[in-house]
Amino acid sequence: MQSLLEFIDQNQVILFLLLFARISGLFAFFPFFSHMSIPTTAKMALAIFMVIFLFPFATMPQIEINMYTVALAIVSELFMGLIAGLILNLIFAMLQMAGMQIAFVMGFTMASVIDPQSNVSTPIISQILTLIGLTVLLALNAHHLMILFLVKSLHMLPLGQFYPGGALWEYLLKSMSSLFVYGFILSFPIVGLSLLSDLVFGMLMKTMPQFNLLIVGFPIKIMVAFVVLIAVLSPIMFIFTREFTKALSHLSLLF
């Protein structure tokens, strides 16, 4: 007991707090780990377990020990988790945007549900694509790669020393612009076919005025959109996986 009390000194306590701030910050914003369906107690237990497991690999940063510097270091670690989670969640936002455009042309904009990931109301198609994307990432062990990034960050970036550079902000701006481009690309097969069906229905309305578009046209559009969505689901998930892997590799900009 005496040796244990000698080990727990001021530096060790501060090191534990900084390591806990980094791990909890990353788990609070990373995809899958931040999912609202996972109980908060389970997240805290996992974070504490990771802190205990990685504590021997962490080193005390070269900072002045006082209340202000320690608080600033903790805020820096939480901000690092926020930026890292933003980089990865932008890829999920790409799926959500594609799902919103698909739901709009299918007439499903009113069919919205509460997304357990962001706790906001999203169209049902966006929710389906997001859950499928999350399942694909789990099948590819992407959650293991996130934990490996956490371990790597302890060697590459000292605790409390995170500062966003110009290259990181430039990458975030490019990612935001690419979000809209890829969202349109993923939804283009369904959107394009929907516009083509509208053109066909318009020609039918001109040639056959008795044709009831509300009764016949909308079910046909929904059926065709579902068939095309099932056909292009595999390429959508392939592009999503490729972009998520790129985003994981670009997390090195944090160091």
Side-chain angles (χ1 to χ4, degrees):
M1 180 63 69
Q2 183 66 26
S3 60
L4 180 61
L5 292 177
E6 292 176 355
F7 175 76
I8 305 177
D9 59 359
Q10 181 182 14
N11 291 336
Q12 300 297 331
V13 172
I14 294 176
L15 180 61
F16 185 90
L17 289 176
L18 293 178
L19 182 59
F20 180 75
R22 172 170 294 189
I23 294 177
S24 60
L26 292 175
F27 281 179
F29 299 105
F30 268 3
F32 173 69
F33 295 103
S34 61
H35 205 281
M36 299 296 294
S37 299
I38 302 177
T40 306
T41 53
K43 298 178 184 178
M44 294 297 297
L46 179 60
I48 294 175
F49 171 78
M50 292 297 298
V51 170
I52 296 174
F53 182 77
L54 297 177
F55 188 80
F57 302 98
T59 56
M60 184 64 187
Q62 301 297 324
I63 59 174
E64 183 181 356
I65 305 300
N66 57 62
M67 182 179 65
Y68 301 103
T69 55
V70 172
L72 185 61
I74 293 176
V75 172
S76 173
E77 294 299 328
L78 296 177
F79 188 63
M80 174 185 173
L82 174 63
I83 297 297
L86 177 62
I87 292 175
L88 298 182
N89 281 304
L90 282 175
I91 312 301
F92 280 92
M94 176 181 71
L95 279 183
Q96 292 180 353
M97 176 162 291
M100 292 176 63
Q101 294 178 357
I102 294 172
F104 179 77
V105 299
M106 293 176 64
F108 281 0
T109 52
M110 295 297 293
S112 300
V113 294
I114 299 297
D115 182 13
Q117 174 71 22
S118 57
N119 205 24
V120 297
S121 180
T122 57
I124 188 67
I125 302 298
S126 298
Q127 182 69 8
I128 292 174
L129 292 178
T130 301
L131 292 177
I132 294 176
L134 188 61
T135 305
V136 170
L137 291 184
L138 292 178
L140 297 176
N141 292 326
H143 54 300
H144 294 170
L145 297 178
M146 298 179 201
I147 296 178
L148 289 177
F149 163 77
L150 175 60
V151 178
K152 181 182 177 181
S153 68
L154 297 178
H155 301 283
M156 301 296 295
L157 183 66
L159 293 172
Q161 301 296 316
F162 171 72
Y163 182 78
L168 178 60
W169 295 117
E170 182 179 357
Y171 172 77
L172 287 175
L173 290 176
K174 290 182 179 179
S175 298
M176 290 295 295
S177 60
S178 299
L179 163 66
F180 299 97
V181 175
Y182 277 101
F184 176 74
I185 290 175
L186 295 181
S187 63
F188 180 75
I190 295 92
V191 174
L193 193 61
S194 176
L195 294 177
L196 181 61
S197 64
D198 289 338
L199 180 61
V200 173
F201 290 150
M203 295 173 62
L204 288 176
M205 288 290 292
K206 287 294 184 180
T207 57
M208 294 185 298
Q210 68 274 15
F211 179 76
N212 196 328
L213 180 63
L214 293 177
I215 297 178
V216 181
F218 284 160
I220 293 177
K221 285 185 61 176
I222 293 173
M223 181 187 66
V224 172
F226 269 121
V227 171
V228 178
L229 179 61
I230 294 173
V232 301
L233 185 59
S234 179
I236 288 176
M237 289 299 113
F238 175 78
I239 296 176
F240 168 74
T241 306
R242 184 191 66 188
E243 294 302 317
F244 194 87
T245 305
K246 289 182 181 180
L248 279 174
S249 64
H250 288 140
L251 288 179
S252 57
L253 294 173
L254 297 172
F255 304 143

